[in-house]
Amino acid sequence: MFPFDHPREECGVVGAYIPNAEASRVAFFGLFALQHRGQESAGIAAADGQTLNVHTDMGLVTQIFRERDFLPLSGEFAIGHTRYSTTGTSQLCNAQPLVVQGLAGKLALAHNGNIINASQLKKQLKEQWDCAFNTTTDSEVIAYLMVNAPGNSWEERVFHCMRTLDGAFSLVAMTEDTVIAARDPLGIRPLCLGRLSGGWIVASETCALDHLGAEFVRDVQPGEVVIFDRQGMRSAVRQEPERSRAMCIFEHIYFARPDSVLDGTLVYTARQRMGAQLAKEHPVEADLVIGIPDSSTAAAVGYARESGIPYSDGLIKNRYVGRTFIEPEQRLRDLGVRQKFNPLPDVIRGQRLVVVDDSIVRGTTTPHVIKVLKRAGAREIHIRVCAPPIKFPCYMGVDMADQDELIAANKTVEEIRELAGADSLGFLSIEGLLKVSNGEHDGFCDACFTGNYPVPVQLQLGKLVLESDN
Ligand code: SF4
């Protein structure tokens, strides 16, 4: 993925019940493994059976939590969140977990996804329950809905929410003595279940379980609610036979870490298959295949193996360039590219390069990367993208850019090639992508490529839709 031109990751969530241990420590290391899913803010809520406390702040997980911050976060129950804002602005009041009070008591909640009918539900909650909203996020809408929902158990309350909410949600919630996790009926965002130290853990991706030394049990099923408390774990699934799965295919292309397993498939392997399929669809005479590190490396290896063209590192990534809130102005983009990637001139000089990237969103920085490679002596540059052209925005929790900013929505492949200054340009077809992405189950959302949204969307919805509603 070229820097500055990518869909923004959504959020990462973790929930844990660890008997006789401080679950907040587990949540911390889980969030640390999920940092790639959101870098704006993070937080942990913890409970000991009687009290529930929360600590949130802006920044990276390691910047937010110092030793003293764990003192109030004691107890066997914890949930955590790392956030990129897909609804609501980036400010402390929108950091999660957020805590609300309602008919069923006190509830902390952290959410990954996007609720399409949040504005309308917020209005109803204000009128019916007089809910006082403190944030501009759709997550607070879910929290108030859940805590005031009819039902005698959390399963019943969550199922009520599932019937009411439209959109994507993988969520973790917590009372003083119970952790609740749920995944929307289409399974748009990932969520997995594991075991650790006689307790239970849920996380957005399996890489969080691996780093904690937890045992992977299974994916949380679409429409499933999982509950842990001192009595153990129980779960229930809301059956919706008429609706098929619609997992975000961008998790496989870019969002998830390559060492995570999604729906039974290692993401690294899925990306290699995408690269191999790309080589079949867009072969070219070249000397060397390189990938844009790190997200395109697996696909570049797949392209090289299928085509028989040798693979090499060609750009070295500065690992210490953190995600920053400040993005360079247009005139500094060349410099920005150089700060993030340094070419290897001895490898590149005189070579006809296949450069594999995972997607092109606005197309604003591709020309700058090509310039950097050409200055390092590349003879030809053939860009191969292991996603189809992105033509539609996302309403399910990914900040993709508005439609008028999406280069493929407004230009042909040949026009994009010319603007970028590449010798050739090829995108993976949607058929090829779906063919190589199937895991244990069929059913992906591919709406940003096809416009076929899995839920009805209002095309004018933006991420600040709830901003003026408080
Ligand atoms: Fe994922 Fe694209 Fe669907 Fe959004 S529209 S959920 S980014 S596949």
Side-chain angles (χ1 to χ4, degrees):
M1 176 77 57
F2 289 130
F4 327 124
D5 183 32
H6 45 80
R8 300 297 191 126
E9 299 88 336
E10 332 87 27
C11 299
V13 296
V14 62
Y17 163 57
I18 313 292
N20 307 312
E22 296 290 10
S24 56
R25 305 272 175 174
V26 170
F28 171 83
F29 287 109
L31 291 182
F32 187 49
L34 297 173
Q35 185 74 83
H36 60 288
R37 297 184 71 86
Q39 299 85 35
E40 287 186 0
S41 65
I44 293 173
D48 59 6
Q50 272 146 14
T51 56
L52 188 160
N53 291 307
V54 63
H55 178 76
T56 58
D57 210 339
M58 304 300 292
L60 301 175
V61 176
T62 47
Q63 294 164 337
I64 292 172
F65 289 96
R66 285 142 302 173
E67 195 53 38
R68 65 171 183 267
D69 298 316
F70 286 98
L71 284 177
L73 298 176
S74 63
E76 300 163 303
F77 306 94
I79 62 171
H81 189 253
T82 180
R83 176 171 197 262
Y84 170 73
S85 56
T86 47
T87 304
T89 48
S90 175
Q91 48 178 307
L92 186 54
C93 75
N94 286 339
Q96 297 182 26
L98 50 87
V99 180
V100 299
Q101 186 82 38
L103 290 182
K106 197 175 189 183
L107 187 77
L109 181 133
H111 160 227
N112 172 205
N114 203 43
I115 302 303
I116 289 163
N117 58 342
S119 192
Q120 175 195 337
L121 291 171
K122 189 170 183 176
K123 201 161 161 261
Q124 285 169 14
L125 284 162
K126 283 206 252 181
E127 283 168 10
Q128 195 175 349
W129 300 109
D130 208 18
C131 298
F133 284 85
N134 293 313
T135 79
T136 57
T137 67
D138 53 353
S139 311
E140 197 178 16
V141 174
I142 306 176
Y144 271 123
L145 192 65
M146 228 168 116
V147 84
N148 291 309
N152 295 317
S153 66
W154 283 109
E155 286 92 326
E156 287 178 16
R157 292 185 196 104
V158 176
F159 284 158
H160 172 83
C161 290
M162 283 187 190
R163 286 193 295 276
T164 313
L165 298 166
D166 281 335
F169 55 90
S170 277
L171 61 86
V172 288
M174 191 181 67
T175 65
E176 287 88 347
D177 59 5
T178 305
V179 172
I180 304 149
R183 195 170 172 204
D184 68 71
L186 297 170
I188 297 173
R189 299 277 148 238
L191 195 64
C192 65
L193 177 67
R195 293 224 69 176
L196 179 66
S197 306
W200 293 91
I201 178 162
V202 283
S204 295
E205 291 182 36
T206 61
C207 66
L209 305 186
D210 296 339
H211 279 290
L212 286 162
E215 175 202 343
F216 170 72
V217 175
R218 59 179 174 81
D219 288 327
V220 174
Q221 298 308 302
E224 182 176 9
V225 52
V226 177
I227 296 180
F228 334 128
D229 57 21
R230 286 180 178 147
Q231 278 67 57
M233 188 278 275
R234 58 188 189 276
S235 94
V237 181
R238 189 173 127 77
Q239 300 294 346
E240 292 210 45
E242 73 282 7
R243 294 178 96 175
S244 52
R245 290 169 175 248
M247 181 161 182
C248 169
I249 205 159
F250 243 106
E251 294 282 353
H252 288 265
I253 297 170
Y254 173 66
F255 294 132
R257 263 178 45 166
D259 51 338
S260 285
V261 175
L262 292 177
D263 197 20
T265 304
L266 182 69
V267 173
Y268 189 89
T269 308
R271 288 181 190 162
Q272 277 195 332
R273 283 194 222 135
M274 290 173 200
Q277 180 66 23
L278 193 53
K280 285 182 194 155
E281 294 183 14
H282 297 285
V284 64
E285 290 254 327
D287 306 309
L288 207 58
V289 179
I290 68 168
I292 305 293
D294 296 324
S295 54
S296 306
T297 304
V301 169
Y303 191 104
R305 280 200 191 140
E306 178 63 33
S307 63
I309 302 168
Y311 166 83
S312 171
D313 289 336
L315 289 165
I316 300 300
K317 185 176 176 181
N318 178 354
R319 290 170 198 271
Y320 300 96
V321 172
R323 308 261 179 164
T324 161
F325 295 104
I326 305 159
E327 295 214 331
E329 295 169 29
Q330 189 65 32
R331 70 193 164 83
L332 290 179
R333 281 190 196 273
D334 259 350
L335 184 61
V337 168
R338 285 308 294 253
Q339 281 174 347
K340 193 157 185 179
F341 299 121
N342 203 20
L344 294 172
D346 288 4
V347 174
I348 287 170
R349 197 172 300 116
Q351 301 291 305
R352 297 170 299 169
L353 295 182
V354 174
V355 180
V356 178
D357 192 11
D358 45 54
S359 52
I360 293 179
V361 183
R362 295 174 180 82
T364 44
T365 55
T366 311
H368 300 277
V369 179
I370 290 177
K371 250 191 252 167
V372 165
L373 290 168
K374 286 212 161 146
R375 266 191 227 130
R379 184 147 60 99
E380 289 175 17
I381 295 179
H382 303 277
I383 302 285
R384 295 293 179 269
V385 185
C386 56
I390 298 171
K391 296 184 175 173
F392 301 91
C394 176
Y395 299 97
M396 270 74 67
V398 174
D399 195 0
M400 192 65 90
D402 293 335
Q403 194 162 18
D404 56 2
E405 297 172 303
L406 295 170
I407 192 164
N410 302 292
K411 303 222 176 296
T412 64
V413 173
E414 177 51 23
E415 286 168 338
I416 300 170
R417 183 205 64 75
E418 208 179 325
L419 275 171
D423 294 284
S424 74
L425 171 64
F427 288 87
L428 185 60
S429 68
I430 186 70
E431 297 76 18
L433 175 64
L434 292 173
K435 184 172 131 194
V436 297
S437 298
N438 279 347
E440 287 169 356
H441 301 93
D442 281 350
F444 286 101
C445 173
D446 54 19
C448 46
F449 310 120
T450 61
N452 299 326
Y453 293 95
V455 287
V457 297
Q458 289 166 265
L459 295 178
Q460 71 281 11
L461 272 184
K463 75 182 251 189
L464 305 182
V465 68
L466 299 178
E467 212 72 3
S468 57
D469 278 359
N470 279 359

